[in-house]
Amino acid sequence: MPPSESPPATTPTGVAEPPVRTAAVWAALDPVVRAGSLQVLDVGGGAGVFAVPLAQLGHHVTVVDTSADALATLRRRADLAGVGDRVRGLQGDADQLDAVLDQAPDGGYELVLVHSVLEVVDDPAATLTGIAAVLRPGGTLSVTAANRAGAVLARALGGHPVEARALLGDRDPAPARSRSRQARRRFSPQELVDLVGQAGLRPGDWRGVSVVADLLESTSGADPAALRTLELALAGTSPYRDVATGLHVLATREAGGQPPVDDSPHGRHRSAEPRPA
């Protein structure tokens, strides 16, 4: 298995060491999640890769996901970790959070995760604006998304130069495959930062997610600890972060600030834009 998927070590707190490929995300979140018990919303959190470790740190986490199977896995994982009372799963769509709004804690959530969601929703801007509405003033949003430059590099190194060239032009690299599975968007760093700003949030610096970990073969023999240190060093450094697999932005909702309302005729239900696979 790749170094990023090696069995995780355990930290002194009893929480498993995060995978190498997400080390930069956890490092950015660390000052937020160590500040005290938070009400957390994990949109598209599926099987609880982030939710369960956050619950182990003492936070109360609500996970919204479309997959009943993923939510069942979340429940089993939370129970096995002894944090079932701090994790709640709700089946729903990222762009239709009515159930979350109805059950949100007073004042909203203090931390909202939107990881690997914007690639597959119909309207990323409207979805992010709707999610920002459940974030408490002064709260933090963590968003990750696939990086277009990283996808181009991965396709090229994988021996698919035609697909890489298509992605470079923001075109669908494999139209035939897109007819049989959900297509995915990719973003540039500026596009992701702009989306966050348009949602009424103040974005911080962006960082790369898995700058090199996803490029390594399982036989590379790379030391996981050394690789983790390297990933953390490269995550905020150009030009290395520019070709990472993913992008990560932390943003805050200003105290007293209100996210913009999508008052277009179709609101959150605008038709899907073309998106590359």
Side-chain angles (χ1 to χ4, degrees):
M1 67 180 66
S4 61
E5 296 178 7
S6 299
T10 300
T11 67
T13 63
V15 178
E17 191 77 37
V20 173
R21 71 176 314 276
T22 59
V25 178
W26 281 106
L29 285 172
D30 189 68
V32 179
V33 302
R34 300 287 180 180
S37 180
L38 303 175
Q39 291 287 342
V40 181
L41 174 65
D42 188 354
V43 180
V49 173
F50 277 83
V52 171
L54 286 171
Q56 289 177 294
L57 291 173
H59 306 296
H60 295 268
V61 188
T62 298
V63 177
V64 177
D65 201 278
T66 58
S67 170
D69 289 341
L71 291 175
T73 300
L74 165 70
R75 173 50 49 200
R76 291 193 297 271
R77 179 176 286 177
D79 289 341
L80 284 172
V83 294
D85 59 332
R86 291 200 291 271
V87 176
R88 176 179 61 157
L90 296 175
Q91 189 169 8
D93 294 324
D95 55 358
Q96 298 180 41
L97 292 176
D98 295 340
V100 174
L101 287 168
D102 292 341
Q103 302 181 46
D106 291 342
Y109 291 92
E110 295 156 298
L111 173 63
V112 177
L113 310 183
V114 188
H115 293 170
S116 302
V117 169
L118 300 183
E119 294 92 331
V120 296
V121 297
D122 288 346
D123 188 330
T127 295
L128 204 54
T129 297
I131 291 171
V134 304
L135 184 64
R136 180 176 301 182
T140 301
L141 178 135
S142 171
V143 57
T144 69
N147 180 20
R148 186 178 301 118
V152 170
L153 180 62
R155 295 294 175 100
L157 292 177
H160 304 287
V162 175
E163 293 185 5
R165 183 68 181 84
L167 281 172
L168 183 63
D170 198 19
R171 300 190 306 276
D172 189 338
R177 289 204 301 270
S178 297
R179 288 193 289 269
S180 60
R181 61 179 173 81
Q182 190 172 31
R184 301 178 72 235
R185 289 185 182 84
R186 275 87 177 183
F187 298 86
S188 70
Q190 192 60 54
E191 287 169 345
L192 186 60
V193 169
D194 287 347
L195 277 174
V196 170
Q198 291 163 13
L201 305 173
R202 180 166 56 86
D205 293 335
W206 67 273
R207 58 191 56 78
V209 179
S210 186
V211 179
V212 294
D214 286 348
L215 298 177
L216 297 179
E217 298 290 341
S218 59
T219 56
S220 69
D223 175 63
L227 183 57
R228 184 183 306 277
T229 300
L230 178 62
E231 281 288 345
L232 293 176
L234 298 179
T237 306
S238 290
Y240 312 104
R241 64 176 180 168
D242 301 74
V243 294
T245 297
L247 307 169
H248 180 229
V249 176
L250 281 185
T252 56
R253 181 175 170 187
E254 302 284 7
Q258 295 293 329
V261 175
D262 180 11
D263 56 1
S264 65
H266 300 289
R268 298 183 192 175
H269 303 289
R270 282 177 280 185
S271 59
E273 302 166 4
R275 51 196 183 195

